[in-house]
Amino acid sequence: MTPLERALRDRIQAEGPISVEAFMEACNHYYYATRDPLGARGDFTTAPEVSQMFGELVGAALADCWKRAGEPADAIYGELGPGRGTLAADALRVLRAAGFVGEVHLVETSPVLREAQAAAVPDAHWHEAVDELPARPLLLVANEFLDALPIRQHVAGIERRIVIAGGGLAFDRAGETVETSPARDAAVAAIATCLAAMGGVAIIIDYGHATSAPGDTLQAVRGHDYAPVLANPGEQDLTAHVDFESVARAATNAGASVTPLVTQGEWLNRLGIGARAAGLANTNPERSDELASAVQRLTSSEEMGDLFKVLAIHSPDWPAPAGFE
Ligand code: SAH
C-alpha cells in the first residue's frame, strides 16, 4: 500500500467517503511534490520536452502579440505549472530576442519542480496560486496544467465518491458521468480577470473537448502507460480532459475575450513549425531526422496533433494572438 493510500483510508474511515475532487487533489499534490514525472524515465512526456520548437513558437506568438499591443514595458511573462521550465526557457529566448525585458512569474506548488525551474529560468519569481500573480500586463502560458486540476463527477445528479470496499478503494457508483471543475474555472477566472483589467494574453494548451458533454475522462498514467485510476494513489499522474467550453465561459464571464479553439497540429503549422524545423535542420544537418520526428509527434493527428487543443484568452484591448483564424 502506498503511503498516500494509507492516509486516504484513514481519512475515509474517520470522515466517510471522499469526493473524486478531494481524491484527485490529494493524489496530485502528493505526486508532484515528491518527483519530477517528466521524460523517458518518468511517467509522461509533454510537448516542450519533445522539442525546443514548441516553446519557441509559443514565445513567438506571445512576442508578436506584445509588439502589436505597443510593447508595454511593465508586462510580465507568466506560466502555470511549468514542469522542468523547458517551455519557459525556450519561449523566453524568443521573447528576449524580440526586446521583451519583463519579469518571469511562475505558479508552481511542487518544491522538486521549482528547483528544476530555477535551473532553467534563473531570476524567476514563484507563486503558490494563480491569484497571487502581480497585477500587470500578462504574457501567460499553461501547457498540460488545467488537466491536472481536480474535477468533480456526478452520476444521475449525485456526486461520485470513493469508499473502501473489498479491501481496496472503489467508486461508490457507476453510470453516465458528468464532470465539472470548479478549481479550473476559478483558475481561468483569475487569469481572465487580470487580463481584462491589466491587458495581456494567455495561451492554454491541453487535451480536451470543444463542447461540454457527459463522459468519464478521469485517467491515470504511469511509466508512459494508462493505469487503473484508483491504483497506487500518489504514485501515478491523474488527469481529466479539459472542457474548453467551460474554460471559455469562465473567461468571458470575467470580461476577457477568447479565440476559437484550434488543434495543436493546426496551430503549430500556422505558426510555421515546418519552416522552423527546416531552419534548424539547415544549421544542424545531423539533427534532421530528430527534427522531422518531433514535427510529426507534435502535429500529426495520430500523435499529439488532434488530441491537444489550443485556446487563447486575451484582454479586449489586446489583439488576438496569431494562429487561431
Ligand atoms: N507545463 C509543463 C508541466 C506539465 S505537468 C510541461 O508542459 O512540461 C503539470 C505541472 O503543473 C507540474 O509542474 C505540476 O507540479 C504543476 N501543478 C499541478 N497541480 C498544480 C497546482 N494545483 N498548482 C500549481 N501547480 C500545479
Side-chain angles (χ1 to χ4, degrees):
M1 195 183 305
T2 67
L4 185 66
E5 179 166 358
R6 181 74 268 153
L8 288 169
R9 283 180 183 228
D10 291 347
R11 182 171 164 188
I12 293 169
Q13 250 136 19
E15 296 170 19
I18 58 169
S19 64
V20 170
E21 184 181 43
F23 177 76
M24 193 172 170
E25 179 169 33
C27 287
N28 276 350
H29 186 82
Y30 182 93
Y31 175 78
Y32 283 108
T34 49
R35 77 207 68 209
D36 171 355
L38 296 158
R41 278 173 306 166
D43 289 322
F44 59 97
T45 300
T46 56
E49 302 297 333
V50 169
S51 171
Q52 68 185 83
M53 294 184 286
F54 183 81
E56 288 170 350
L57 291 170
V58 168
L62 293 174
D64 167 62
C65 234
W66 175 72
K67 283 195 174 287
R68 287 191 283 138
E71 307 189 13
D74 56 344
I76 58 170
Y77 174 89
E79 192 174 329
L80 311 183
R84 290 179 174 166
T86 308
L87 168 50
D90 292 337
L92 281 161
R93 209 165 46 245
V94 174
L95 277 158
R96 298 297 189 218
F100 174 78
V101 294
E103 291 173 0
V104 176
H105 289 262
L106 307 176
V107 176
E108 174 62 68
T109 44
S110 162
V112 177
L113 290 171
R114 277 190 184 198
E115 208 169 298
Q117 292 155 23
V121 193
D123 302 324
H125 304 264
W126 280 270
H127 306 276
E128 283 290 313
V130 176
D131 55 14
E132 290 171 19
L133 286 170
R136 306 258 286 278
L138 195 54
L139 304 174
L140 183 120
V141 55
N143 184 62
E144 289 207 48
F145 172 74
L146 292 180
D147 67 64
L149 298 188
I151 57 155
R152 299 179 68 183
Q153 291 189 326
H154 286 82
V155 175
I158 300 172
E159 182 148 26
R160 200 177 188 206
R161 293 176 197 278
I162 290 148
V163 295
I164 301 170
L169 298 176
F171 289 108
D172 69 346
R173 66 196 67 239
E176 188 176 74
T177 306
V178 172
E179 296 181 344
T180 55
S181 179
R184 263 181 214 158
D185 291 348
V188 171
I191 292 300
T193 301
C194 180
L195 295 173
M198 305 306 301
V201 57
I203 296 175
I204 314 284
I205 308 117
D206 225 311
Y207 40 85
H209 35 274
T211 48
S212 307
D216 177 0
T217 75
L218 186 62
Q219 64 184 37
V221 165
R222 191 180 197 190
H224 299 267
D225 236 324
Y226 293 107
V229 171
L230 299 182
N232 302 305
E235 305 297 330
Q236 50 190 29
D237 186 41
L238 285 186
T239 65
H241 281 211
V242 173
D243 174 354
F244 279 101
E245 183 177 341
S246 179
V247 169
R249 191 183 318 116
T252 48
N253 284 347
S257 303
V258 297
T259 62
L261 185 72
V262 299
T263 65
Q264 174 174 297
E266 204 176 353
W267 190 66
L268 293 174
N269 281 324
R270 286 176 183 171
L271 292 180
I273 193 170
R276 179 71 192 131
L280 283 169
N282 216 8
T283 40
N284 311 273
E286 75 289 353
R287 291 183 55 198
S288 307
D289 289 351
E290 166 216 321
L291 289 159
S293 76
V295 171
Q296 177 74 9
R297 183 138 177 223
L298 293 172
T299 64
S300 129
S301 55
E302 279 90 65
E303 302 200 49
M304 298 174 83
D306 276 358
L307 177 64
F308 283 80
K309 316 284 194 298
V310 193
L311 180 80
I313 305 170
H314 61 97
S315 153
D317 301 332
W318 275 48
F324 293 90
E325 297 283 2

